[in-house]
Every structure is written in structure tokens, then in C-alpha cells.
Amino acid sequence: MVIKTVLDTDLYKFTTSYAYIKLFPYAMGTFSFKDRDDTEYTEGFLNALKNEIHNLALVSLRKEELEYMCSHCRFLPRVYWEWLFSFRFDPDKIHLYLDEERHLHMEVTDLLYKVTLYEVPLLAIISEIKNQFLNRIPDRQDIIARLSGKVSLSNTHHMPFSEFGTRRRFSFDVHETVVAYLKEHARYCTGTSNCFLAMKYNLLPMGTHPHEWFMFHGAQFGYKHANYMALENWVNVYDGDLGTALSDTYTSDAFLSNFSRKQAKLFDGVRCDSGDEFEFVEHLIARYKELGIDPTTKTIIFSNALDFEKALHIFEYCQGKIRCSFGIGTNLTNDTGYTPSNIVMKLSRCKMNVNQEWRECVKLSDDMGKHMGSSKELDACLYELRLK
């Protein structure tokens, strides 16, 4: 089995799940898979994937894991973990097939507080099985050698980072090898997004909220007010905890234009996940100053397909201007000498309750290749935001 516990996922899946339960318990959604490389898969791969999806039904939260999360996540109440203790993945809700060009299609539909939990495990499964079918065998010594240089760079320059690599890891074994090394050698590793490995290696579980939270608000309440309402609702649930705001669901320009003084003061900082990081630094600093806020009291978390060399350039650029840290994923957990998978699962449609019509969800990244949604709905979004 690739996935052996519900905790083998990113923390923000649980925080988002709980936010749906609190505010939108009847809302439904569909997550859709996209392979940005248009990989051609085989029937053997598809059968192996179906077998792992069948195995997901056996995955659960263990009692000791429940107790760990209760004691290490004060922002999520015990009642949530007790509900999760009874949660089981339902393979019948996962629909997948290969089309005539052998491209993989996969969708999952359920109540949002449940369906959000499928995304990361499914991506991790696909990545690991793909590597198995390509007969890729990682060299542990080579992985450690590559990792050693990265950790040395972070240690030398006092550069903080966290490990964000569950969804596109080479395999669970490689992921664990990386986290174990970071625990022992990386003095400025602030934690990991993976809750199971955080528990096993006594690291801080890291994460806040994903694009889907903003995509849901955009579909239900309009794109112009989506960022503002998504942050307000996050505060309604977490009362100032988990205070890093994601900026690029509908472009960072749109985010900054309605980033209110209250939100700018309340949130500890902002996550930059696409676009030009150096331009974003200047734009965010300007917005903080416009709102009368000292930018050196705030933090940017950079997480856009980073390697350590690029992170260091950004880190040095930010010195004296604004605090920064880095969420590094694939470059840590899938740097094996083989080309990593470029795969995502995003919220593609949602509705507030079973009686409402489905509404399409879209994402306007600061990187054109990361846009998600039909051209018609993307155009409508751009028009509403006055970007087209």
C-alpha cells in the first residue's frame, strides 16, 4: 500500500476540511486530475492505480495519531479528529479512465469536507506508481548527496524553509529519507506539511489554506469579492490562527487591490505561489506601506516550484525589506535524477447544497500555464476582475 494512514497528507487538507464543516457543511465539490505533461499511461498502470484506490478504503486514523493531532494542533478541536477517526475513503466515488490518447482522467465528487481529503493521497499514489512502471530506482546515496548541499546552503545562510513535498514525491520511502535527514541535519528547517512524518520525526506540522478555498468562494460569491470573503471566513473559523494568506488564486494584483487594512494587520503574512517573486516582494511591500503597516513585521512564504539556489536569491533580496521563508516540495522529495511528474488535482466545480446547480471553479494564476478552468469561465472571471 502506498498510503497507510490518513495522516500521510498535508496539514492544510485538515484545516480546510474543518472550515467547510464549520461554515459550509452541505457544500459539495468535484476534484479533477490534470497532468500538465500530457503523459501517456498504460493499462497496467491503470490497473495498479485502481488497486491502490481499492486499498484506500482500508486506510484510517489510528488512536495514537488522533491523540498526537489533538495535542499538536490547538486550532483544530478534538471533535474534528474524532470525526476523522471514523472517516473512510470511498473508492466508488473515484472515477477514472484512459482516453483514446492514453491520457489519465480522474474525478472525485462528495461533500467538500470529505472530498478535499482525496487530493493529496491520490496525487502521491499516481506519482509513486508511475515511477514504478517506468522502472525508476532511486539511489539513496545520490539523494542524500543532493540533499546535503541544499541543507548546507540553508545552514550557512540561516535560510528558513519547510518541506512541502507530499503530493509529487518520488515515493513514500524517498519522502521519509528526506525528512529523516532534515530532522538530523537542517538547523533552519521549520517543519513539514506531512502530518504523519511530523509525528514520526517530531517536527512541526505546517500549512494554512489552499487555492480551492478561494476557488469555492469565487464560484459561489463572485470573483471580485472572492479573496476578501475567503479571508474573512477563514478568520471566522480560526480567529487569527493559521495566518498566512494565499495571494494568487485570481492573480496577485487582484488580491492586493482588496487586501484590507484589517486583514493585512491580522494575517501574519502572504504566500506567493506563482509569478515573479521579486516583483511580488515590491508590490506587497508597497501595499503594506499604503495601509500604514511596517512590512518588516510581516512574512512572505514562497512556494512556487523552488530550488534552494533560487530561494537563496529571494532570501537575500528580502533582507531588510520583509521577512521570508520557503515551502519547498518537489525539489526535496523528488530530486532523484529522474524527471518529476507535473500533476495536480483542483476543485473543478462546486455547489452550496444538493439542490443548487453546479458552478464551475477556476483559478487565475500569475503563471499562464497554471490557469485552471474552461476558456469561457476564465474569460468571465477576467472580465469581472477588469483584467480583460
Side-chain angles (χ1 to χ4, degrees):
M1 288 174 61
V2 174
I3 305 296
K4 299 180 179 66
T5 169
V6 173
L7 287 195
D8 187 11
T9 192
D10 292 335
L11 176 65
Y12 78 81
K13 292 279 85 178
F14 299 133
T15 58
T16 306
S17 169
Y18 178 65
Y20 287 134
I21 289 175
K22 283 280 286 185
L23 299 181
F24 309 109
Y26 303 106
M28 302 185 69
T30 297
F31 273 77
S32 300
F33 172 81
K34 180 177 177 60
D35 186 323
R36 291 170 173 158
D37 294 328
D38 290 329
T39 302
E40 294 182 11
Y41 294 90
T42 66
E43 290 294 334
F45 167 89
L46 185 66
N47 290 332
L49 177 57
K50 288 179 178 178
N51 184 58
E52 284 295 338
I53 286 173
H54 174 76
N55 290 338
L56 271 181
L58 306 176
V59 173
S60 63
L61 186 71
R62 304 181 186 104
K63 185 65 176 176
E64 63 271 21
E65 294 171 339
L66 183 153
E67 296 301 335
Y68 168 83
M69 295 307 292
C70 286
S71 62
H72 287 75
C73 290
R74 61 180 175 77
F75 38 80
L76 284 171
R78 186 179 184 90
V79 66
Y80 176 76
W81 300 112
E82 290 183 349
W83 167 77
L84 194 67
F85 189 71
S86 67
F87 170 79
R88 299 293 183 273
F89 292 103
D90 184 352
D92 290 338
K93 294 186 180 297
I94 304 170
H95 302 285
L96 70 160
Y97 65 93
L98 298 181
D99 64 21
E100 293 180 354
E101 297 177 321
R102 314 208 70 76
H103 297 153
L104 178 63
H105 296 260
M106 181 167 61
E107 286 190 345
V108 194
T109 301
D110 204 342
L111 292 162
L112 273 171
Y113 68 86
K114 293 181 183 179
V115 76
T116 190
L117 300 175
Y118 285 74
E119 175 196 357
V120 173
L122 287 174
L123 289 173
I125 287 170
I126 290 169
S127 181
E128 183 159 345
I129 293 176
K130 179 182 175 183
N131 288 322
Q132 291 172 0
F133 270 80
L134 291 173
N135 294 314
R136 293 173 169 176
I137 301 174
D139 184 314
R140 188 178 187 279
Q141 289 185 323
D142 181 54
I143 291 169
I144 295 299
R146 293 168 185 260
L147 188 56
S148 173
K150 299 168 187 176
V151 169
S152 177
L153 186 149
S154 169
N155 288 345
T156 300
H157 295 276
H158 302 195
M159 184 178 74
F161 71 94
S162 54
E163 182 276 305
F164 274 18
T166 304
R167 68 187 56 236
R168 285 189 284 267
R169 66 193 183 194
F170 184 92
S171 66
F172 175 81
D173 289 342
V174 169
H175 192 179
E176 183 170 15
T177 296
V178 168
V179 170
Y181 186 90
L182 294 178
K183 171 64 177 178
E184 185 174 354
H185 299 282
R187 295 197 298 272
Y188 296 93
C189 178
T190 55
T192 173
S193 62
N194 186 283
C195 295
F196 175 73
L197 293 174
M199 181 182 76
K200 184 169 182 178
Y201 290 94
N202 193 28
L203 290 166
L204 187 67
M206 307 285 291
T208 54
H209 51 229
H211 293 104
E212 71 176 89
W213 183 249
F214 296 81
M215 293 165 72
F216 169 77
H217 282 77
Q220 294 298 325
F221 305 112
Y223 302 114
K224 190 173 183 179
H225 304 292
N227 286 316
Y228 179 82
M229 291 193 65
L231 294 184
E232 287 294 291
N233 278 331
W234 196 253
V235 172
N236 290 340
V237 176
Y238 290 109
D239 198 29
D241 274 328
L242 304 169
T244 301
L246 183 56
S247 64
D248 69 329
T249 309
Y250 299 113
T251 75
S252 294
D253 287 342
F255 172 87
L256 291 174
S257 69
N258 61 10
F259 193 36
S260 70
R261 178 176 284 104
K262 182 185 82 171
Q263 291 173 345
K265 283 179 173 289
L266 182 60
F267 279 82
D268 301 322
V270 175
R271 178 158 73 96
C272 173
D273 195 48
S274 62
D276 186 297
E277 289 87 354
F278 302 95
E279 287 183 6
F280 182 78
V281 169
E282 296 304 325
H283 292 165
L284 181 60
I285 287 173
R287 182 59 173 164
Y288 277 134
K289 289 181 176 178
E290 182 183 351
L291 296 171
I293 297 169
D294 180 359
T296 63
T297 65
K298 299 296 181 179
T299 301
I300 307 178
I301 308 294
F302 296 94
S303 59
N304 182 22
L306 294 173
D307 58 40
F308 278 73
E309 288 76 17
K310 183 176 181 180
L312 179 59
H313 290 314
I314 299 168
F315 180 67
E316 291 174 338
Y317 185 81
C318 289
Q319 295 305 297
K321 299 178 179 179
I322 193 167
R323 299 172 185 172
C324 69
S325 186
F326 303 88
I328 300 181
T330 306
N331 186 250
L332 282 171
T333 62
N334 206 338
D335 188 12
T336 60
Y338 300 106
T339 302
S341 297
N342 191 0
I343 53 177
V344 294
M345 280 192 80
K346 293 294 183 185
L347 186 65
S348 57
R349 62 176 188 166
C350 65
K351 56 184 178 179
M352 194 63 81
N353 56 61
V354 70
N355 296 316
Q356 190 187 66
E357 293 292 319
W358 287 106
R359 297 181 182 177
E360 184 181 355
C361 299
V362 301
K363 174 175 174 279
L364 282 183
S365 172
D366 289 327
D367 295 329
M368 185 62 71
K370 289 186 173 182
H371 285 6
M372 298 286 291
S374 69
S375 56
K376 180 180 178 181
E377 193 61 31
L378 285 169
D379 284 345
C381 179
L382 287 164
Y383 179 79
E384 185 175 335
L385 295 172
R386 301 296 186 263
L387 296 174
K388 186 173 182 178

